Amino acid sequence: LKLLVSRHAILRTNFYSGWYGQPLQIVYRHKNPSFFYEDVRGREHAVAEFVAQDKARGFDLSKDALMRVAVFRTGESSYRFVWSFHHIVMDGWCLSLMTDEVFGAYVALLEHKQPELAPVKPYSDYIEWLEHQDAQEATRYWSDYLAG
């Protein structure tokens, strides 16, 4: 998880509102992931209770880690993995990419190998590309595409 957070700036980010009336995004150079582990063998409802509390807790965009991971040992060789995140940092499309990266790196590290991970493109590259797009052309394209 530390590797994932170090590679992806969005996972080291918080969002503040009310800074001179504007939202402000802060990307930290270093931020530890939120990780929780508990052995819950013999407590069959412990994971469900944790999930309910985690959902109720929500996220404070200005100070919380916006991705949380919890691992529960539920048996001699069984575990439950709970991965919570705010939609502002991840969506369903990128979740599979992140999951592949986490477990791919995990398997490599278990085998005492260096994980082979694709280079990360900074979000700023996308913003720069977006700023160079013709807004009128994009509006025309989507209006035509969604007509009817």
Side-chain angles (χ1 to χ4, degrees):
L1 292 173
K2 285 182 181 178
L3 178 60
L4 184 74
V5 170
S6 70
R7 284 175 43 80
H8 299 282
I10 193 64
L11 301 178
R12 300 186 313 273
T13 299
N14 284 103
F15 300 87
Y16 299 87
S17 60
W19 186 74
Y20 295 103
Q22 296 293 317
L24 177 65
Q25 178 179 354
I26 304 291
V27 179
Y28 297 93
R29 282 191 181 96
H30 306 286
K31 191 167 190 173
N32 288 323
S34 176
F35 179 78
F36 177 77
Y37 171 82
E38 187 174 359
D39 187 332
V40 297
R41 288 177 286 182
R43 296 175 27 221
E44 62 183 72
H45 299 293
V47 176
E49 290 168 3
F50 175 87
V51 169
Q53 290 171 357
D54 189 60
K55 285 181 182 179
R57 175 180 164 194
F59 293 91
D60 181 331
L61 296 177
S62 66
K63 63 182 176 183
D64 288 348
L66 301 180
M67 178 187 81
R68 299 187 288 256
V69 172
V71 176
F72 297 92
R73 185 172 186 181
T74 56
E76 286 307 309
S77 61
S78 61
Y79 296 82
R80 290 284 308 273
F81 187 92
V82 179
W83 192 341
S84 307
F85 55 89
H86 194 284
H87 189 71
I88 203 168
V89 298
M90 268 197 299
D91 60 16
W93 180 83
C94 72
L95 180 59
S96 65
L97 299 173
M98 292 286 196
T99 303
D100 289 348
E101 186 170 319
V102 166
F103 289 106
Y106 180 71
V107 168
L109 292 170
L110 280 177
E111 296 172 350
H112 304 287
K113 296 179 181 174
Q114 186 66 28
E116 294 182 23
L117 302 168
V120 175
K121 284 192 172 226
Y123 187 68
S124 58
D125 286 2
Y126 170 69
I127 297 300
E128 186 176 323
W129 171 84
L130 195 58
E131 288 175 345
H132 289 90
Q133 300 308 300
D134 183 334
Q136 288 181 330
E137 183 181 327
T139 300
R140 189 172 33 260
Y141 171 82
W142 286 110
S143 293
D144 292 347
Y145 184 82
L146 297 172

